[in-house]
């Protein structure tokens, strides 16, 4: 309905939309496969963004799936973008407005962060905001190379760490503990705990 096109598909929108959207601080931010846009007038006019120009073509790059949420407690939009792994990005509404949607603090969550070998594919992301933690999930093990660990993976990091914009710690589950949960989602508005078929183990990575 927004008339958005996808920069990576020669000007045509993906037929698999998988939309996501959030609003806060006078900004409406929306995403779909390959594209994103924001509005500062309540959704009457949207400015389209191309994630391949907002972020560098680095170790994560950009593929398609995206999730966005606004977290009032830290006044941040959190943008979760799939590539070779995931890019976790954060910006305040004021930063989005002043930069034209291009000023984001971000962290690269490559397969190696989670102890996975090169070539381990991640897909079908989800994201949930708790009282103090951001929870993320995805299916790990598409195109599973030798040594990869396959199944649903859940990770978390603190909202205060995201707000600070510096080093963050990621805690995460072991995908084989949740093979049967492949394709599942995490619960929204989860408070101070996350619900699912797995428990967070003691492994973590500092970024």
């Amino acid at each position: 309905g927004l008339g958005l096109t996808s920069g990576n598909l020669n000007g045509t929108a993906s037929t698999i939309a998988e939309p996501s959207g959030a609003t806060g601080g006078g900004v409406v931010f929306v995403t779909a496969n390959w594209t994103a846009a924001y509005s500062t007038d309540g959704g009457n006019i949207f400015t389209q963004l191309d994630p391949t120009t907002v972020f560098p073509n680095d170790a994560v790059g950009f593929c398609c799936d995206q999730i966005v949420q606004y977290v009032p407690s830290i006044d941040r939009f959190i943008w979760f973008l799939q590539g070779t792994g995931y890019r976790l990005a954060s910006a305040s509404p004021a930063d989005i407005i002043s930069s034209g949607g291009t000023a984001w603090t971000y962290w690269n969550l490559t397969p190696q962060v989670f102890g996975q070998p090169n070539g381990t594919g991640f897909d079908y992301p989800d994201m949930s905001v708790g009282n103090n933690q951001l929870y993320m999930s995805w299916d790990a093990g598409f195109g599973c190379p030798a040594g990869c660990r396959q199944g649903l993976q859940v990770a978390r990091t603190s909202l205060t760490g995201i707000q600070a914009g510096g080093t963050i710690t990621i805690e995460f589950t072991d995908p084989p503990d949740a093979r049967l949960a492949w394709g599942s989602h995490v619960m929204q508005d989860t408070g101070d705990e996350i619900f699912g078929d797995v428990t967070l183990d003691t492994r973590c990575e500092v970024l």
Side-chain angles (χ1 to χ4, degrees), residues 2 7 24 40 53 68 74 92 99-100 102 105 113 116 124 147 182:
L2 300 180
T40 59
T53 61
V68 63
I74 60 171
S92 69
S99 71
T102 63
T105 299
V113 168
Q116 297 273 31
Y124 204 54
W182 186 273

Side-chain angles (χ1 to χ4, degrees), residues 29-47:
F29 199 93
V30 297
T31 69
N33 269 358
W34 298 106
T35 193
Y38 73 95
S39 171
T40 59
D41 64 358
N44 291 311
I45 298 174
F46 279 86
T47 298

Side-chain angles (χ1 to χ4, degrees), residues 2-183:
L2 300 180
L4 302 180
T5 57
S6 300
N8 276 14
L9 296 177
N10 297 318
T12 60
S14 173
T15 58
I16 304 173
E18 296 181 316
S20 179
T23 182
V27 173
V28 180
F29 199 93
V30 297
T31 69
N33 269 358
W34 298 106
T35 193
Y38 73 95
S39 171
T40 59
D41 64 358
N44 291 311
I45 298 174
F46 279 86
T47 298
Q48 184 170 355
L49 300 172
D50 181 352
T52 65
T53 61
V54 173
F55 301 104
N57 183 19
D58 56 14
V60 170
F62 176 62
C63 166
C64 39
D65 292 352
Q66 305 168 73
I67 303 289
V68 63
Q69 293 214 30
Y70 174 71
V71 185
S73 64
I74 60 171
D75 189 33
R76 295 292 188 276
F77 281 91
I78 299 178
W79 192 4
F80 198 44
L81 303 96
Q82 182 174 311
T84 306
Y86 287 102
R87 193 185 310 276
L88 177 63
S90 169
S92 69
D95 287 340
I96 292 172
I97 293 169
S98 64
S99 71
T102 63
W104 296 80
T105 299
Y106 66 89
W107 300 266
N108 287 343
L109 311 185
T110 64
Q112 290 73 31
V113 168
F114 305 97
Q116 297 273 31
N118 283 328
T120 301
F122 293 165
D123 195 19
Y124 204 54
D126 198 9
M127 187 166 64
S128 177
V129 178
N131 292 344
N132 302 300
Q133 301 280 337
L134 177 75
Y135 299 94
M136 301 155 281
S137 70
W138 54 84
D139 293 336
F142 279 91
C144 194
C148 94
R149 302 180 69 76
Q150 193 171 39
L152 179 74
Q153 186 158 46
V154 180
R156 71 182 178 189
T157 190
S158 74
L159 294 175
T160 56
I162 291 174
Q163 184 181 32
T167 299
I168 62 172
T169 298
I170 303 284
E171 297 176 290
F172 52 91
T173 63
D174 190 11
D177 289 343
R179 289 184 184 274
L180 296 180
W182 186 273

